Amino acid sequence: MGRRTRKLISGLVVLGVVGGAAFWWLTKPAPWSPSHWEGLGEPDLANGEQVFWAGGCASCHAKKGAEGEARLVLSGGAPLKSPFGTFHAPNISSDETAGIGAWTLAEFGNAMTRGVGRNGEHLYPSFPYGSYARMTVKDINDLWGFMKTLPKSTEVAPPHELPFPYNMRVALGGWKLLFLTDKPRAAVDASDPKLARGQYLVEGPGHCGECHTPRNALGGFEPDQWLAGAPNPEGEGRIPDITPGSKSIGGWSASDIASYLETGFTPEFDSVGGSMVEVQKNMAKLAPADREAIAAYLKAVPAL
């Protein structure tokens, strides 16, 4: 092997090492500093409960078909099918071993808003931290306080079923670099308190875009198709467009939308169906002003 070839190979090795180190540095888990979660005071449990329902925690983490108080037992296990494999919702009950009862506020908050697990690992965005990233520290603190009052469950959820390379968490750092943001998803008049509240609920804890917005091949939102409808990850049918241009709800008034979220009945007296059943159950527990704010926001986003 000639000297020039050896130098070329050595240079390529150095470039590979430097490039790998740079990629790791740019994509390593990035939790908030501890001070971000300090000084928040005692949680407001009533607000925490409202955030709990707005965030749809029971929809994925309670047993399928659970009703009443059973919806507060967050034992996990529900499968979430996707093009990348099947994810299983974990136990997030207050149990110290099977659940997250031994976590701190900072660990919980970093999982919710930064997608970083208790052990410093990247979390999969099947957990919608890409939306929860917009949540205020107050709401996170209040939610955490409320969740610690909920029943314990010792059930252990099954592991995710993901083929290679999707089972490699290191790649999630690149996904976050491309897609994790706390910027607004749509341009609305944020000076209007009702619209600002609706935007916060829909884009943040309500994480409506996670199902209603199409994604690219890497699993990131198509930014110019916000809430325009998407393929059903379960493989049957399609999640509808909920913008003002929608064929399904585009002709509804804001009061029609708010009423639907409360009662589960459309203006034509059809009833809610599919995966929206669980969402509507959650929305029915919100304050009327919050349902009205969500409706106002959905009427204000661009029609597609």
Side-chain angles (χ1 to χ4, degrees):
M1 184 184 294
R3 179 180 299 177
R4 181 176 298 178
T5 301
R6 288 196 298 270
K7 285 185 175 180
L8 177 61
I9 292 174
S10 297
L12 290 174
V13 169
V14 170
L15 284 174
V17 171
V18 171
F23 177 82
W24 176 85
W25 177 258
L26 289 171
T27 64
K28 66 180 181 177
W32 292 107
S33 67
S35 62
H36 187 77
W37 304 106
E38 293 174 353
L40 296 176
E42 287 297 313
D44 178 342
L45 299 185
N47 182 59
E49 181 175 6
Q50 288 287 286
V51 176
F52 176 85
W53 296 118
C57 307
S59 297
C60 287
H61 296 278
K63 288 287 188 184
K64 184 177 181 180
E67 297 289 345
E69 293 297 309
R71 297 188 74 217
L72 299 178
V73 182
L74 307 177
S75 54
L80 176 62
K81 296 179 182 179
S82 82
F84 308 103
T86 299
F87 299 91
H88 291 276
N91 182 327
I92 59 168
S93 78
S94 56
D95 186 82
E96 291 82 357
T97 303
I100 61 174
W103 289 29
T104 65
L105 169 63
E107 289 167 344
F108 176 72
N110 284 323
M112 288 284 293
T113 62
R114 301 298 295 165
V116 178
R118 191 185 190 196
N119 298 314
E121 74 278 18
H122 286 301
L123 299 179
Y124 286 99
S126 54
F127 175 53
Y129 55 79
S131 294
Y132 295 156
R134 292 162 181 75
M135 292 177 64
T136 65
V137 291
K138 179 187 185 315
D139 276 356
I140 295 290
N141 185 44
D142 293 347
L143 173 62
W144 180 231
F146 174 73
M147 289 183 65
K148 288 193 290 185
T149 71
L150 299 182
K152 297 181 180 183
S153 170
T154 59
E155 293 188 40
V156 178
H160 300 320
E161 302 170 60
L162 307 176
F164 180 83
Y166 306 120
N167 59 353
M168 305 294 290
R169 289 181 185 263
V170 65
L172 294 171
W175 187 92
K176 290 180 179 178
L177 190 66
L178 291 171
F179 302 118
L180 181 58
T181 175
D182 60 0
K183 303 301 183 199
R185 298 289 189 187
V188 297
D189 181 7
S191 66
D192 181 327
K194 179 181 282 189
L195 285 178
R197 178 63 175 168
Q199 182 167 42
Y200 175 72
L201 289 168
V202 172
E203 298 185 10
H207 63 281
C208 305
E210 301 289 338
C211 287
H212 288 278
T213 302
R215 298 173 184 270
N216 59 29
L218 297 177
F221 288 155
E222 296 284 2
D224 60 346
Q225 294 292 303
W226 176 243
L227 303 181
N232 186 344
E234 298 294 326
E236 297 181 5
R238 186 174 177 83
I239 308 297
D241 176 350
I242 55 172
T243 73
S246 165
K247 293 181 180 178
S248 55
I249 73 166
W252 294 10
S253 67
S255 61
D256 289 335
I257 296 173
S259 176
Y260 173 73
L261 295 176
E262 179 182 11
T263 68
F265 288 101
T266 73
E268 296 79 26
F269 300 102
D270 287 334
S271 59
V272 62
S275 58
M276 189 63 192
V277 171
E278 285 295 319
V279 176
Q280 187 274 321
K281 286 181 183 178
N282 299 330
M283 295 292 104
K285 293 182 179 293
L286 298 186
D290 280 347
R291 288 191 295 269
E292 291 167 5
I294 290 170
Y297 171 81
L298 293 178
K299 296 300 291 183
V301 297
L304 296 172

